[in-house]
Amino acid sequence: MNLVTIDEIHAAAKRVAGVALRTPLLPQLWASPAKLWLKPENLQQIGAFKVRGAYNAIAALDEKTREKGVVAYSSGNHAQAVAFAAKQFGVPAVIVVPDVTPRIKVEATASHGAEVVEVPIGQRESAAHAIAEERGLTLIPPFDHRNVIAGQGTAGLEIAEDLPDVEVVLIPISGGGLASGIGTAIRALAPNAKIFGVEPELAADTAEGLKAGHRVDWPVEKRARTIADGLRSQPSELTFAHLQVVLDGMLTVTEEEIREAVRVLARRAGLIAEPSGAVSTAAFLFHADQLPDGKTVAVVSGGNLDPSALGELLG
């Protein structure tokens, strides 16, 4: 399969410059003697890394196609990202979300002027395809798209530039677009680094699939058990092919480990992370024995969390 290249990621970086925030690497002294840096993608304007891929994909469209508008399906963060990006270009956006999506994400998506359509969780993709066909809109998928993957990879460029001797990179895994992009960039620019994907135990289809050597299907009801609502998707053929090449391993974390990571990030790092964004930190906190020693970057992929849910988690 033809995989995304570092040149495509460099091209994406030029497109998203000035729109996607160049998030810093934050050293964590509380993690001493281990060396940990956090990549706080929760600080993006829409609260998650997804703005990188969404904006790059829309920017790469020809003007005539873009003007007709776009449609996307998402559990929340990609929804906000596409709505935000479409607003920057002044084009219409329709976003299909599961009816179990946290209200903070639904409201934020609507605030960017997008039309939000709520459907049962198992119908979001088919509904988005139907709307695209009916209205002549361009579908911007959450991960199964070269330009989306390349856009997410710009975070990897920044990691390699800011910490050239990085030794371990921890990345949350859902559909696999973020890890595909970051992994491609790190492989090209920091080839000695070890790259690990992190999943909730309750949605560990990627870990099982990589071990088996092929994609495996977990029913949506099974994946929906995890508190990490942004990590309930499964890789596509495209992203799985990337993950097979760029990942050195997979780690899984428990629900309580995820909750504790949210608390640690809030209390020790001063970062509000949604459960999905905290899994890489959970892997560092609870599974260091499965990781190489060395300079470690944990990607905090998002921070869109209902205040009530945050209060519950912090106790």
Side-chain angles (χ1 to χ4, degrees), residues 165-289:
D165 55 347
V166 61
E167 294 168 278
V168 181
V169 181
L170 304 174
I171 312 167
I173 299 274
S174 182
L178 180 63
S180 295
I182 290 180
T184 298
I186 295 297
R187 279 276 170 264
L189 303 176
N192 293 325
K194 300 298 183 183
I195 306 168
F196 291 85
V198 187
E199 282 183 312
E201 283 186 357
L202 297 184
D205 52 281
T206 302
E208 182 179 326
L210 288 172
K211 187 174 181 180
H214 57 81
R215 289 190 301 155
V216 298
D217 180 51
W218 282 31
V220 65
E221 296 80 10
K222 187 175 181 180
R223 288 178 271 125
R225 297 172 301 163
T226 179
I227 190 176
D229 61 276
L231 302 184
R232 294 170 178 167
S233 294
Q234 299 186 119
S236 64
E237 288 185 15
L238 179 62
T239 54
F240 192 80
H242 282 79
L243 299 179
Q244 287 181 303
V245 171
V246 303
L247 293 184
D248 291 291
M250 286 289 301
L251 299 173
T252 60
V253 291
T254 68
E255 297 296 287
E256 185 47 45
E257 288 169 351
I258 296 170
R259 290 184 172 90
E260 181 58 22
V262 171
R263 291 189 279 266
V264 168
L265 286 167
R267 294 167 179 164
R268 306 299 297 273
L271 294 174
I272 301 302
E274 60 191 279
S276 304
V279 296
S280 55
T281 304
F284 174 85
L285 291 172
F286 298 103
H287 300 276
D289 60 330

Side-chain angles (χ1 to χ4, degrees), residues 82-103:
V82 172
F84 172 83
K87 184 179 181 181
Q88 308 312 301
F89 286 103
V91 302
V94 179
I95 313 296
V96 181
V97 301
D99 53 15
V100 294
T101 300
R103 299 319 300 172

Side-chain angles (χ1 to χ4, degrees), residues 7-205:
D7 289 341
E8 289 176 84
I9 296 174
H10 279 300
K14 292 178 181 177
R15 293 192 190 103
V16 306
V19 178
L21 178 67
R22 192 189 199 288
T23 54
L25 286 184
L26 304 178
Q28 301 301 301
L29 299 181
W30 57 266
S32 180
K35 297 178 180 178
L36 174 68
W37 284 258
L38 299 176
K39 179 70 169 168
E41 288 294 291
N42 59 314
L43 300 182
Q44 294 289 350
Q45 290 188 67
I46 59 103
F49 73 94
K50 291 283 191 177
V51 67
R52 297 176 182 271
Y55 189 87
N56 185 54
I58 295 174
L61 296 172
D62 67 79
E63 191 172 345
K64 188 175 180 180
T65 300
R66 187 166 56 231
E67 285 177 351
K68 294 178 182 177
V70 296
V71 61
Y73 57 91
S74 167
S75 60
N77 287 333
H78 180 65
Q80 292 180 66
V82 172
F84 172 83
K87 184 179 181 181
Q88 308 312 301
F89 286 103
V91 302
V94 179
I95 313 296
V96 181
V97 301
D99 53 15
V100 294
T101 300
R103 299 319 300 172
I104 189 172
K105 295 183 179 182
V106 174
E107 291 162 7
T109 300
S111 75
H112 295 303
E115 176 188 345
V116 179
V117 178
E118 298 186 54
V119 299
I121 191 168
Q123 298 176 21
R124 59 181 182 172
E125 186 171 351
S126 59
H129 280 279
I131 290 170
E133 186 173 345
E134 289 167 10
R135 305 193 195 183
L137 306 178
T138 297
L139 179 68
I140 308 294
F143 49 85
D144 189 28
H145 193 288
R146 294 186 71 87
N147 287 328
V148 171
I149 292 171
Q152 319 305 27
T154 61
L157 292 183
E158 295 169 10
I159 291 170
E161 290 167 1
D162 292 347
L163 193 65
D165 55 347
V166 61
E167 294 168 278
V168 181
V169 181
L170 304 174
I171 312 167
I173 299 274
S174 182
L178 180 63
S180 295
I182 290 180
T184 298
I186 295 297
R187 279 276 170 264
L189 303 176
N192 293 325
K194 300 298 183 183
I195 306 168
F196 291 85
V198 187
E199 282 183 312
E201 283 186 357
L202 297 184
D205 52 281

